[in-house]
mmCIF file of all heavy atoms in Angstrom:
data_model
loop_
_atom_site.group_PDB
_atom_site.id
_atom_site.type_symbol
_atom_site.label_atom_id
_atom_site.label_comp_id
_atom_site.label_asym_id
_atom_site.label_seq_id
_atom_site.Cartn_x
_atom_site.Cartn_y
_atom_site.Cartn_z
ATOM 1 N N ASP A 137 49.345 50.371 -5.513
ATOM 2 C CA ASP A 137 50.372 51.294 -5.050
ATOM 3 C C ASP A 137 49.740 52.595 -4.563
ATOM 4 O O ASP A 137 48.725 53.039 -5.088
ATOM 5 C CB ASP A 137 51.346 51.624 -6.183
ATOM 6 C CG ASP A 137 52.186 50.420 -6.598
ATOM 7 O OD1 ASP A 137 52.140 49.399 -5.890
ATOM 8 O OD2 ASP A 137 52.863 50.515 -7.632
ATOM 9 N N LEU A 138 50.377 53.190 -3.573
ATOM 10 C CA LEU A 138 49.894 54.465 -3.048
ATOM 11 C C LEU A 138 50.700 55.580 -3.698
ATOM 12 O O LEU A 138 51.900 55.717 -3.445
ATOM 13 C CB LEU A 138 50.059 54.495 -1.526
ATOM 14 C CG LEU A 138 49.621 55.775 -0.814
ATOM 15 C CD1 LEU A 138 48.129 56.026 -1.010
ATOM 16 C CD2 LEU A 138 49.951 55.693 0.670
ATOM 17 N N ARG A 139 50.070 56.338 -4.574
ATOM 18 C CA ARG A 139 50.747 57.440 -5.269
ATOM 19 C C ARG A 139 50.245 58.751 -4.684
ATOM 20 O O ARG A 139 49.049 59.029 -4.714
ATOM 21 C CB ARG A 139 50.447 57.398 -6.769
ATOM 22 C CG ARG A 139 51.078 56.217 -7.469
ATOM 23 C CD ARG A 139 50.922 56.296 -8.988
ATOM 24 N NE ARG A 139 51.617 55.169 -9.617
ATOM 25 C CZ ARG A 139 51.108 53.944 -9.746
ATOM 26 N NH1 ARG A 139 49.888 53.702 -9.298
ATOM 27 N NH2 ARG A 139 51.803 52.987 -10.311
ATOM 28 N N LEU A 140 51.180 59.552 -4.170
ATOM 29 C CA LEU A 140 50.809 60.803 -3.504
ATOM 30 C C LEU A 140 51.527 61.977 -4.148
ATOM 31 O O LEU A 140 52.685 61.853 -4.568
ATOM 32 C CB LEU A 140 51.173 60.737 -2.020
ATOM 33 C CG LEU A 140 50.506 59.631 -1.196
ATOM 34 C CD1 LEU A 140 51.006 59.687 0.241
ATOM 35 C CD2 LEU A 140 48.991 59.749 -1.238
ATOM 36 N N SER A 141 50.857 63.107 -4.185
ATOM 37 C CA SER A 141 51.517 64.348 -4.574
ATOM 38 C C SER A 141 52.558 64.701 -3.516
ATOM 39 O O SER A 141 52.580 64.111 -2.431
ATOM 40 C CB SER A 141 50.482 65.475 -4.655
ATOM 41 O OG SER A 141 49.990 65.741 -3.350
ATOM 42 N N ASN A 142 53.398 65.685 -3.797
ATOM 43 C CA ASN A 142 54.370 66.098 -2.778
ATOM 44 C C ASN A 142 53.666 66.604 -1.521
ATOM 45 O O ASN A 142 54.073 66.292 -0.406
ATOM 46 C CB ASN A 142 55.299 67.178 -3.336
ATOM 47 C CG ASN A 142 56.390 66.577 -4.222
ATOM 48 O OD1 ASN A 142 56.599 65.370 -4.231
ATOM 49 N ND2 ASN A 142 57.071 67.422 -4.972
ATOM 50 N N GLY A 143 52.608 67.380 -1.691
ATOM 51 C CA GLY A 143 51.870 67.862 -0.527
ATOM 52 C C GLY A 143 51.215 66.716 0.234
ATOM 53 O O GLY A 143 51.219 66.688 1.461
ATOM 54 N N GLY A 144 50.671 65.769 -0.513
ATOM 55 C CA GLY A 144 50.060 64.606 0.124
ATOM 56 C C GLY A 144 51.085 63.769 0.876
ATOM 57 O O GLY A 144 50.793 63.210 1.940
ATOM 58 N N THR A 145 52.300 63.720 0.333
ATOM 59 C CA THR A 145 53.377 62.966 0.988
ATOM 60 C C THR A 145 53.746 63.618 2.320
ATOM 61 O O THR A 145 53.968 62.928 3.322
ATOM 62 C CB THR A 145 54.607 62.900 0.061
ATOM 63 O OG1 THR A 145 54.212 62.294 -1.173
ATOM 64 C CG2 THR A 145 55.720 62.091 0.692
ATOM 65 N N ASP A 146 53.811 64.944 2.338
ATOM 66 C CA ASP A 146 54.097 65.646 3.602
ATOM 67 C C ASP A 146 53.051 65.290 4.655
ATOM 68 O O ASP A 146 53.374 65.007 5.814
ATOM 69 C CB ASP A 146 54.100 67.164 3.382
ATOM 70 C CG ASP A 146 55.286 67.626 2.535
ATOM 71 O OD1 ASP A 146 56.316 66.925 2.519
ATOM 72 O OD2 ASP A 146 55.163 68.691 1.901
ATOM 73 N N VAL A 147 51.790 65.298 4.251
ATOM 74 C CA VAL A 147 50.697 64.975 5.173
ATOM 75 C C VAL A 147 50.819 63.530 5.665
ATOM 76 O O VAL A 147 50.689 63.248 6.867
ATOM 77 C CB VAL A 147 49.336 65.192 4.477
ATOM 78 C CG1 VAL A 147 48.195 64.652 5.339
ATOM 79 C CG2 VAL A 147 49.129 66.658 4.148
ATOM 80 N N PHE A 148 51.078 62.634 4.729
ATOM 81 C CA PHE A 148 51.208 61.203 5.055
ATOM 82 C C PHE A 148 52.285 60.996 6.117
ATOM 83 O O PHE A 148 52.068 60.316 7.127
ATOM 84 C CB PHE A 148 51.547 60.472 3.756
ATOM 85 C CG PHE A 148 51.649 58.981 3.840
ATOM 86 C CD1 PHE A 148 50.580 58.203 4.275
ATOM 87 C CD2 PHE A 148 52.815 58.328 3.435
ATOM 88 C CE1 PHE A 148 50.673 56.810 4.312
ATOM 89 C CE2 PHE A 148 52.909 56.942 3.465
ATOM 90 C CZ PHE A 148 51.839 56.186 3.908
#
Side-chain angles (χ1 to χ4, degrees):
D137 293 350
L138 179 62
R139 291 188 177 82
L140 300 178
S141 67
N142 281 347
T145 302
D146 291 335
V147 171
F148 183 58

